[in-house]
């Protein structure tokens, strides 16, 4: 790896990140979730961005409108079959708590503004619907780029991530200055070309599943000049083990129990 790429991978992001905004303490991928992460002392959030039918970036995980949506005639439809104005009317809170039926799917731009105003770091997962990988990468990168200078000045320059090589490649072409991390479900041993993927994307991190990671993998990734971001870590003993291996960042659902660890690891 070239020295120029290795220099980019110095870990300058938070060490603990709240999964889908508020972990298990709020309806995922909502503004309330982002606020919950801050409330528990973890001003660093991971969330998913997908495009509506009319190409508006919105914050949601599932391609099918079902698991986190209640009381809608749109249940069972695909997210990108609906326009943003329809999606903004859907109940995205009562699946978590019946008293939260007023909670809505947020626009990506609303989350950008919240995180900018409150100095919250964002790991923005580009979550394209099938067949919309490049378009989603482009739209998310274009919008993020409009905020990037202000986010950087606030000390919370974001990190893109995605399981989609094509989405991250498109984001790189639009906004090469915004760092990228490549998400993997598989073990490093099952992706023999991972070094080529990292190089092609100019990725600063591999974002890997804790269940497929070994200490040897961590050493190999870091020797290649790449950061190690691990998901989803909910046990503090396991967290300490991963940190002892040299893992750079932990993504967790247990933001209440991980709050002291986040404070300890804060620069």
């Amino acid at each position: 790896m070239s020295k120029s790429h290795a220099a980019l991978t110095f870990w300058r992001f938070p060490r603990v990140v709240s999964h889908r905004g508020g972990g298990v303490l709020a309806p995922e991928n909502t503004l309330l979730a982002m606020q919950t992460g801050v409330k528990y002392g973890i001003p660093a959030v991971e969330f998913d961005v997908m495009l509506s039918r009319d190409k508006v970036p919105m914050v949601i995980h599932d391609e099918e409108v079902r698991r986190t949506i209640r009381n809608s005639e749109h249940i069972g439809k695909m997210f990108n079959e609906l326009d943003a104005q329809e999606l903004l009317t859907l109940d995205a809170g009562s699946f978590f708590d019946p008293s939260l039926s007023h909670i809505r799917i947020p626009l990506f731009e609303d989350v950008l503004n919240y995180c900018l105003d409150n100095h919250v770091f964002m790991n923005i997962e580009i979550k394209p619907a099938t067949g919309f990988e490049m378009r989603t990468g482009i739209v998310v990168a274009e919008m993020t780029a409009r905020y990037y200078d202000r986010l950087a000045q606030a000390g919370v320059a974001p990190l893109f991530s995605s399981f989609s090589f094509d989405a991250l490649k498109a984001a790189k072409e639009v906004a090469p200055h915004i760092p990228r991390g490549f998400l993997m479900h598989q073990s490093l041993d099952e992706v023999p070309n991972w070094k080529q993927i990292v190089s092609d994307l100019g990725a600063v991190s591999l974002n890997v599943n804790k269940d497929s990671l070994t200490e040897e993998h961590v050493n190999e990734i870091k020797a290649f000049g790449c950061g190690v971001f691990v998901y989803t870590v909910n046990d503090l003993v396991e967290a300490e083990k991963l940190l002892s291996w040299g893992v750079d960042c932990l993504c967790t659902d247990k933001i209440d129990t991980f709050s002291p660890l986040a404070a300890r690891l804060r620069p």
Side-chain angles (χ1 to χ4, degrees), residues 62-214:
D62 294 4
E63 193 171 347
E64 184 182 15
V65 177
R66 183 179 298 277
R67 181 177 60 88
T68 61
I69 302 300
R70 291 290 180 271
N71 305 325
S72 172
E73 67 273 19
H74 299 309
I75 295 296
K77 290 187 178 179
M78 304 307 286
F79 189 82
N80 66 345
E81 293 176 344
L82 301 171
D83 289 338
Q85 287 305 311
E86 294 175 280
L87 292 164
L88 287 169
T89 69
L90 302 185
D91 169 5
S94 64
F95 82 96
F96 182 86
D97 183 329
S99 70
L100 297 177
S101 61
H102 60 286
I103 298 295
R104 298 293 180 257
I105 302 168
L107 297 170
F108 175 41
E109 190 157 24
D110 289 342
V111 176
L112 280 168
N113 278 307
Y114 173 79
C115 291
L116 175 61
D117 291 344
N118 293 277
H119 293 195
V120 177
F121 164 78
M122 294 174 286
N123 170 204
I124 302 165
E125 182 178 341
I126 303 170
K127 196 83 171 179
T130 304
F132 292 85
E133 290 80 6
M134 293 184 66
R135 172 52 55 188
T136 307
I138 289 168
V139 171
V140 172
E142 287 176 341
M143 182 168 287
T144 308
R146 295 200 292 271
Y147 283 79
Y148 185 80
D149 287 346
R150 287 174 287 163
L151 289 165
Q153 288 168 7
V156 287
L159 173 71
F160 286 145
S161 65
S162 187
F163 288 102
S164 168
F165 177 90
D166 290 340
L168 279 181
K169 191 71 180 293
K172 176 187 176 185
E173 291 172 1
V174 170
H177 56 297
I178 300 179
R180 295 160 298 283
F182 183 66
L183 274 160
M184 290 173 38
H185 286 300
Q186 312 97 309
S187 162
L188 215 63
D189 301 325
E190 299 175 275
V191 188
N193 66 330
W194 69 265
K195 292 181 181 179
Q196 188 62 54
I197 292 171
V198 166
S199 295
D200 289 347
L201 292 174
V204 303
S205 68
L206 271 180
N207 298 20
V208 295
N209 189 320
K210 68 179 179 63
D211 295 327
S212 63
L213 190 67
T214 67

